Amino acid sequence: MGQAAMVHACDMLVNDFFDHRGSDGTSSQARVQNAGYNDCIVAENIAWGYPRSEQIVNGWLNSPGHRRNMLHPRIEEFGVGITQGPRGPYWVLVVGKQC
């Protein structure tokens, strides 16, 4: 999970974009599968530009969709990817459960 999160954070930094879809068209599910994770469920939260982790976590917890991802009752694992760019960090949280 962490590998998939870091791959996406690096992709967004290097290719200067902010989206759940990768520059190569991959989804979060494809990225975790490419990292060797056999997922039954996967979700992804992304953020950009916030300098402190507590800003990101609080922002996600105050957003219904992001909060739902983080607190989903079937989620058992997570991975985080963070990159630092000239305009601020890219943050990626991938959560899931293996089959």
Side-chain angles (χ1 to χ4, degrees):
M1 311 265 334
Q3 180 183 354
M6 195 65 202
V7 163
H8 193 50
C10 288
D11 183 28
M12 289 191 294
L13 173 66
V14 169
N15 293 295
D16 193 27
F17 73 99
F18 181 72
D19 199 309
H20 288 284
R21 184 136 324 260
S23 64
D24 61 356
T26 54
S27 66
S28 59
Q29 184 175 34
R31 288 189 292 275
V32 299
Q33 290 174 350
N34 289 342
Y37 190 85
N38 182 24
D39 69 289
C40 277
I41 186 171
V42 68
E44 177 183 80
N45 289 354
I46 61 175
W48 170 77
Y50 296 91
R52 295 191 331 267
S53 58
E54 58 270 13
Q55 292 173 302
I56 299 305
V57 173
N58 287 335
W60 285 336
L61 286 173
N62 288 316
S63 163
H66 293 104
R67 182 182 180 87
R68 190 171 28 257
N69 287 345
M70 293 169 67
L71 300 178
H72 192 287
R74 292 182 54 211
I75 296 299
E76 294 180 352
E77 300 177 79
F78 71 92
V80 176
I82 305 166
T83 57
Q84 182 61 50
R87 296 182 300 153
Y90 287 88
W91 305 79
V92 179
L93 170 69
V94 179
V95 296
K97 178 183 178 189
Q98 288 200 46
C99 291

